[in-house]
Amino acid sequence: DQQVKQNSPSLSVQEGRISILNCDYTNSMFDYFLWYKKYPAEGPTFLISISSIKDKNEDGRFTVFLNKSAKHLSLHIVPSQPGDSAVYFCAASAQKAGNNRKLIWGLGTSLAVNP
Amino acid sequence: DGGITQSPKYLFRKEGQNVTLSCEQNLNHDAMYWYRQDPGQGLRLIYYSQIVNDFQKGDIAEGYSVSREKKESFPLTVTSAQKNPTAFYLCASSRRGGVVSNQPQHFGDGTRLSIL
């Protein structure tokens, strides 16, 4: 049962335009969300995160929006650049007993930014 | 230059053989993790360790073993009991994995394991 869902396996946008990557989750206990970017044959690189006490977090060209009532978050990249072409993973975590946290990962969305 | 080093980059295993994947970090992170990625799938947690000499099973621990004798090192052994070991293995580390600090995980570049 996929608790973190990225329903679009791929996305193609034109250079300079906005890229919007979406992520839905089912577990209402999730209170921390992250986006990672991954190039082929490399490990994921942390991009941006958001706590459930916020609904927006911005870092340069990257903005993450969180809609808790809809259990939905999105990553906006503006403007998109060819170097942004990669697989983007959404991940979420919740506090468990004993202060342990575990990341639950989506399946990823492959973004292609065309020159 | 701090980071996470996984070796080897490519590894081949014969049937019935155990192999060990290396993961070393010089970020002074307390927590370390092993994930497995299969084509078209997200990352699945194999084992994780919050502190030296302690580790916990993740979602798919069967057929794997780990040790955490040093803070910097978290080797993963893929045993012969793992019937489908072909995958891309990723090691990660973070500052304390507890609720106090939601620290992002930093990843190595992975090891691709294949069966001969």
Side-chain angles (χ1 to χ4, degrees), chain B residues 13-31:
Chain B
R13 193 193 90 169
K14 293 181 181 177
E15 295 281 353
Q17 189 181 47
N18 292 357
V19 290
T20 297
L21 284 61
S22 169
C23 179
E24 304 278 332
Q25 54 98 359
N26 60 4
L27 299 166
N28 199 31
H29 284 168
D30 292 301

Side-chain angles (χ1 to χ4, degrees), chain A residues 2 31-32 34 36 38 41-46 49 51 89 93 95 98-108, chain B residues 9-10 35 37 40-43 45 48 50 56 59 88 90 97-100 102-110:
Chain A
Q2 199 73 21
D31 60 359
Y32 185 59
L34 308 93
Y36 282 81
K38 184 181 181 302
E42 291 184 10
T45 304
F46 169 70
S49 64
S51 163
F89 288 97
S93 76
Q95 181 184 347
N99 284 347
N100 284 325
R101 279 186 171 270
K102 191 173 69 172
L103 279 183
I104 307 298
W105 296 77
L107 299 186
Chain B
K9 198 167 180 69
Y10 299 94
Y35 290 92
Q37 186 185 22
Q41 295 200 31
L43 277 64
L45 183 65
Y48 64 104
Q50 303 258 31
Q56 284 85 41
D59 300 316
F88 188 53
L90 285 161
V99 69
V100 174
N102 281 312
Q103 294 292 333
Q105 295 176 16
H106 299 263
F107 284 82
D109 282 341

